[in-house]
Amino acid sequence: MNTKRLFSLAISFAIALVSSISAESIHIAAWNVEHLNEDNDAGCIPRTDDDYDYIAGRIADLNADVVAIQEVESATAAYRVFPESEWLIVMSDRPNNRGSDSGAICWGTEDKRLRHQATGIAIRRGIKFDTNPSYAHLAGDNPNQRWGTDVTIHTGNLTFRVLSVHLASGCWGAEQDVDSDRSNICTTLRGQVARLAEWIKQRDANNEAFVILGDFNRRLATTDDWAAAQLLDPDHNTTLVTANLREGVEQADWCDARYPDLIDHILVSNTLVERINRDSIVEHPRIRESPDHCIISAMIE
């Protein structure tokens, strides 16, 4: 067994131990599982049964209670890696405008076609929750951008909203902001960030605690980032709990040392900040090259 696998299992054991100590703890996580489709050998990342088994094993090791997922074709695809006996899946209800042979050609290929990509949330059976309408406004009027998946979790004496997001890709930081070839995608992202800030303002107005997590496709922890300034405005009472995720961690132990700045994040309302177990905020190591994103997770006490 390699060292990364041992490290992952050690993290899972530690989180399971914390869970067993406090029945009121809830373990939240986010994972962009990279073109997870219903069928084998389909879409931009064709997979075999072994690949699905590997992803399912990572999820089992994670031992989470609520997992925000991105790039998932459907609930059917999600249940291939989240056993239905243990999980309930809520997917955004953005219409599927990409059939098996009508999607765009996948980048770098000649014949593979993009399948539907949706956000979702997997909730472990036994956890009480309500499903809220998908946050369709997040996509603006662009049918190719993802909607947010929105649920309300009830655990112990705590109730909070969970929003799974996947924002537009291609405008990751300051370098892209001034690239004329990326002006369209950066404009798209700016609109999405503004609409996400609207969602936060509405939660504040309703005195609702919340967690937003997933693939923001933006390096929010970098200095003077405009997107972070909007989402983490002091008036919004919001904290980026993954801002210092790699602090004190050797680069060799990062999930992906090619990228020094994360684009997957967990934001929480300040009403929840004191309940976040800071020692539990983890970027889980990659074991295989695919999926290309890394799992991030934290415990809410």
Side-chain angles (χ1 to χ4, degrees):
M1 184 178 293
N2 63 38
T3 56
K4 286 187 175 181
R5 176 65 170 167
L6 285 171
F7 182 52
S8 180
L9 290 174
I11 290 171
S12 300
F13 176 77
I15 290 170
L17 183 60
V18 172
S19 298
S20 68
I21 292 170
S22 172
E24 300 304 324
S25 296
I26 187 163
H27 182 198
I28 59 171
W31 198 12
N32 180 330
V33 284
E34 193 186 15
H35 300 281
L36 188 75
N37 297 309
E38 295 179 6
D39 304 317
N40 286 15
D41 301 317
C44 295
I45 307 293
R47 289 188 167 99
T48 65
D49 285 340
D50 178 66
D51 296 321
Y52 286 95
D53 288 345
Y54 159 73
I55 295 172
R58 292 300 310 271
I59 291 165
D61 289 347
L62 180 63
N63 195 36
D65 300 302
V66 177
V67 183
I69 49 178
Q70 298 85 45
E71 290 196 20
V72 178
E73 183 179 14
S74 64
T76 299
Y79 278 127
R80 291 199 65 175
V81 294
F82 290 90
E84 195 165 358
S85 60
E86 301 174 27
W87 298 89
L88 291 168
I89 304 294
V90 177
M91 299 296 300
S92 77
D93 47 15
R94 177 170 71 102
N96 185 344
N97 59 355
R98 291 171 175 149
S100 60
D101 56 5
S102 62
I105 296 292
C106 300
W107 184 85
T109 73
E110 296 180 354
D111 56 351
K112 297 182 177 64
R113 290 191 175 271
L114 180 67
R115 289 289 190 79
H116 184 59
Q117 289 188 331
T119 63
I121 301 175
I123 301 131
R124 191 173 292 280
R125 287 184 180 274
I127 294 174
K128 296 179 181 179
F129 72 95
D130 301 315
T131 302
N132 303 312
S134 296
Y135 190 40
H137 183 51
L138 184 61
D141 58 0
N142 189 333
N144 294 319
Q145 291 301 325
R146 276 79 53 167
W147 297 4
T149 303
D150 187 348
V151 303
T152 300
I153 299 293
H154 306 277
T155 176
N157 63 353
L158 179 64
T159 295
F160 59 98
R161 296 277 283 267
V162 175
L163 185 68
S164 173
V165 300
H166 185 185
L167 304 187
S169 178
C171 189
W172 303 287
E175 181 180 349
Q176 289 76 41
D177 289 339
V178 296
D179 184 344
S180 60
D181 292 336
R182 295 182 182 270
S183 59
N184 288 340
I185 197 63
C186 286
T187 297
T188 297
L189 184 68
R190 284 182 181 274
Q192 290 180 319
V193 169
R195 291 186 288 274
L196 191 54
E198 289 177 21
W199 188 90
I200 292 171
K201 289 179 182 178
Q202 189 59 58
R203 305 288 73 73
D204 286 345
N206 295 347
N207 293 315
E208 294 176 297
F210 61 84
V211 178
I212 307 172
L213 69 173
D215 183 358
F216 289 74
N217 269 311
R218 188 72 188 181
R219 301 176 184 125
L220 297 180
T222 55
T223 304
D224 298 327
D225 182 69
W226 61 261
Q230 288 191 47
L231 298 176
L232 305 173
D233 186 306
D235 291 340
H236 294 168
N237 299 311
T238 308
T239 297
L240 180 66
V241 298
T242 47
N244 301 315
L245 190 57
R246 289 175 169 171
E247 192 172 278
V249 179
E250 295 290 336
Q251 185 171 349
D253 293 328
W254 294 357
C255 174
D256 195 331
R258 295 174 299 173
Y259 305 113
D261 301 302
L262 302 177
I263 61 172
D264 298 273
H265 305 285
I266 300 175
L267 280 66
V268 303
S269 59
N270 286 353
T271 51
L272 280 182
V273 168
E274 295 304 317
R275 291 179 178 263
I276 297 290
N277 180 336
R278 294 290 174 156
D279 292 333
S280 74
I281 304 170
V282 175
E283 177 192 25
H284 296 259
R286 175 173 290 129
I287 297 174
R288 287 189 182 181
E289 287 303 310
S290 178
D292 64 342
H293 284 248
C294 302
I295 305 168
I296 53 174
S297 69
M299 295 290 295
I300 300 175
E301 304 295 356

